[in-house]
Amino acid sequence: MKDIAGRTAFVTGGASGIGLGIAHKLLAAGARVAIADIRQDHLDSALAELNSADAIGLHLDVSDRAGFAAAADEAEARLGPVSIVCNNAGVNLFAPIDACSYDDWDWVLGVNLHGVINGCQTFVPRIKARGAGGQIVNTASMAAFLAGPSGGIYTASKFAVRGLTESLRWSLAPHGIGVSCLCPGLVKSAIYESDMARPDALKGEATEADREFLSRLAQLHEAGMDPADVAQTVIEGIEANRLYIFPHAEFRDELKELFDEVLSALPEPAAADPRRLAFEAGRRTRYVKARRSAGS
């Protein structure tokens, strides 16, 4: 997408961190921007910082489907048809899977995965129907590739966002709609405050946060990449319609090790049912065609 100027963008989690950085860059590129966030205090301060007649704030819990549709309607009524969607809202529990409850799963997946699903389900039919193209940017994480012992639900959600995004990219390419997966590493943000935005209905069996650990995380995140720098890679990724947007270069060697490990786990070629091989050959041909049609 070369023509960001004049378009309308919708950014979830847009009142702080990466989302606010993206809003700044989109405005600078000439877009109108609706930032949606669950925290009204963050919305108020973000709108004051953006200080633009082309920016509006919308209170939204991204896990609420009806609320998402209502926010989309308001954004389009006030700013015009949305054709850039940044499904960026995210939370993290910072706890291993075996220590988590169903409430924990419902909260993290509700925001990180269902928030992306709701954004796509709400806006994609509208963008397709208008026929003027667009771009969907789904925020995953380096955790979409690299799984560690902590933040297990977060990792599961980000792996799912990565798969959803790749499949959606091939589906939307014929409609002139690009789809990108943003995979940042450590960013100077307040994601360690996630628990403050947890709905009351999902606090009953919440895993208790380690306050001392969260305090250390706050200090650690101060060393993270500036959200403005992450956002600049997003703008470049939108303009180039990149499948993956990687702001952090320091993961190159680790990803190579991971993919080498995956390849080394595959068995050596052996005799197989020709029908199965024919099926896989056809699948591969269709996959290559889809990737090429999407510019990958």
Side-chain angles (χ1 to χ4, degrees):
M1 176 188 286
K2 301 296 185 183
D3 54 340
I4 292 177
R7 289 185 178 262
T8 298
F10 190 99
V11 184
T12 67
S16 65
I18 293 174
L20 182 54
I22 292 172
H24 272 292
K25 295 294 184 180
L26 286 169
L27 285 169
R32 298 175 295 275
V33 183
I35 57 172
D37 207 283
I38 196 171
R39 293 185 60 174
Q40 188 62 49
D41 57 333
H42 282 185
L43 280 170
D44 293 340
S45 62
L47 288 175
E49 180 181 323
L50 292 171
N51 190 28
S52 172
D54 289 327
I56 64 171
L58 301 169
H59 186 266
L60 174 64
D61 175 352
V62 295
S63 68
D64 178 356
R65 293 176 181 173
F68 215 125
D73 289 342
E74 182 175 351
E76 295 193 325
R78 295 173 64 182
L79 298 178
V82 169
S83 56
I84 300 174
V85 181
C86 297
N87 291 308
N88 173 74
V91 295
N92 198 343
L93 186 59
F94 302 105
I97 284 178
D98 57 290
C100 293
S101 67
Y102 280 121
D103 279 353
D104 297 331
W105 278 99
D106 290 344
W107 173 48
V108 177
L109 292 185
V111 176
N112 293 3
L113 177 56
H114 288 276
V116 174
I117 293 169
N118 293 341
C120 294
Q121 288 289 106
T122 299
F123 282 110
V124 166
R126 302 181 187 209
I127 299 173
K128 284 173 63 176
R130 291 168 185 143
Q135 193 81 21
I136 310 294
V137 180
N138 295 330
T139 298
S141 165
M142 288 309 302
F145 293 90
L146 305 171
S150 183
I153 301 179
Y154 178 87
T155 299
S157 71
K158 296 305 185 179
F159 264 72
V161 168
R162 175 186 159 203
L164 179 161
T165 303
E166 284 203 29
S167 183
L168 186 65
R169 181 177 173 90
W170 318 137
S171 299
L172 294 186
H175 301 278
I177 303 170
V179 184
S180 301
C181 187
L182 171 61
C183 298
L186 187 65
V187 177
K188 189 174 182 179
S189 73
I191 194 170
Y192 52 85
E193 294 182 351
S194 292
D195 207 51
M196 296 176 66
R198 184 170 182 146
D200 290 340
L202 296 176
K203 289 182 178 179
E205 296 183 2
T207 297
E208 186 174 353
D210 183 335
R211 296 302 168 187
E212 182 181 348
F213 176 65
L214 292 182
S215 177
R216 294 197 301 273
L217 275 180
Q219 298 174 35
L220 178 62
H221 278 271
E222 283 299 311
M225 182 177 286
D226 191 310
D229 294 332
V230 178
Q232 183 57 41
T233 68
V234 173
I235 296 299
E236 294 167 1
I238 290 174
E239 292 175 336
N241 187 25
R242 292 176 185 151
L243 168 54
Y244 288 118
I245 301 174
F246 289 115
H248 296 71
E250 56 265 32
F251 293 96
R252 180 179 294 274
D253 290 344
E254 194 170 3
L255 284 178
K256 185 178 185 305
E257 291 174 4
L258 171 65
F259 292 131
D260 285 346
E261 181 180 346
V262 170
L263 290 173
S264 70
L266 288 170
E268 292 297 323
D273 189 321
R275 294 170 298 176
R276 190 183 87 210
L277 295 180
F279 169 80
E280 296 300 349
R283 178 201 55 77
R284 173 62 178 163
T285 297
R286 292 189 297 273
Y287 182 60
V288 170
K289 182 179 179 180
R291 288 180 62 89
R292 288 175 178 167
S293 71
S296 297

